Amino acid sequence: GENVEQHPSTLSVQEGDSAVIKCTYSDSASNYFPWYKQELGKRPQLIIDIRSNVGEKKDQRIAVTLNKTAKHFSLHITETQPEDSAVYFCAAHSGRGKLTFGTGTRLQVTL
Amino acid sequence: DTGVSQDPRHKITKRGQNVTFRCDPISEHNRLYWYRQTLGQGPEFLTYFQNEAQLEKSRLLSDRFSAERPKGSFSTLEIQRTEQGDSAMYLCASSSDRPYEQYFGPGTRLTVT
């Protein structure tokens, strides 16, 4: 089955800096890659996603890149703000229904 | 609120008791998913439905777990003879067939004492 690895597990950046979170997946059949943000005690919230026919997607300060050959994808957050502090999860979808999640990255944006 | 809803939000039960959780998906979504999340981990897939048909079950789902979606709308997840290891957040999500975006509910936090 699919296996998703995520790095780093924790990331601390200063306000205004950029943050990058990387994930790798194992199943070459995976074709959809969402990113979720989860604040403490809250539900996972879908923030951006990318499909396998696209190499990059951007939404304001957030961007995701996908390298199908290397089977890895990354989340980029620019001009980080304190409200970006949360746990971020990447996931992969192989078309059969379920999402396989990474282990999460705890992002701390300091003033 | 037109998002995914779950009930109850919290459940404390004694080991050996049975518990049942309910999930109401976004109304136009025909796919419904159950995940389990433990502290510090990502959600782990349990099972999913397309309309009323249960199409996939994880090996994590022992025979003490059963899920239903009888009319293709809300779903229930029952855990029989609960164990302390069942303590977790149980998340429900829903999606349409295309796109695949899954939207999560607030979860039911289960504590087995």
Side-chain angles (χ1 to χ4, degrees), chain A residues 4-54:
Chain A
V4 176
E5 295 190 356
Q6 182 171 347
H7 300 280
S9 57
T10 60
L11 180 59
S12 182
V13 299
Q14 286 200 316
E15 184 180 6
D17 287 350
S18 296
V20 180
I21 303 170
K22 299 182 178 182
C23 290
T24 60
Y25 63 98
S26 61
D27 188 350
S28 56
S30 289
N31 57 9
Y32 171 68
F33 306 91
W35 287 86
Y36 287 84
K37 175 184 180 182
Q38 189 173 30
E39 297 175 72
L40 191 63
K42 301 276 184 74
R43 72 186 76 191
Q45 178 188 3
L46 179 65
I47 56 172
I48 195 168
D49 55 19
I50 191 166
R51 298 176 195 279
S52 58
N53 59 348
V54 175

Side-chain angles (χ1 to χ4, degrees), chain B residues 38-50:
Chain B
T38 53
L39 201 61
Q41 299 297 315
E44 291 179 294
F45 171 79
L46 294 178
T47 189
Y48 94 96
F49 294 84
Q50 182 169 344

Side-chain angles (χ1 to χ4, degrees), chain A residues 64-98:
Chain A
V64 58
T65 59
L66 171 64
N67 183 325
K68 285 176 58 181
T69 303
K71 292 191 220 169
H72 65 70
F73 56 113
S74 301
L75 177 71
H76 304 252
I77 306 174
T78 58
E79 301 171 23
T80 53
Q81 302 169 2
E83 51 266 37
D84 294 328
S85 296
V87 179
Y88 291 81
F89 292 99
C90 62
H93 184 284
S94 62
R96 290 193 293 265
K98 70 178 185 181

Side-chain angles (χ1 to χ4, degrees), chain B residues 80-94:
Chain B
Q80 296 182 325
R81 305 181 304 280
T82 52
E83 302 172 356
Q84 286 189 319
D86 297 331
S87 295
M89 176 73 83
Y90 290 83
L91 292 163
C92 174
S94 70

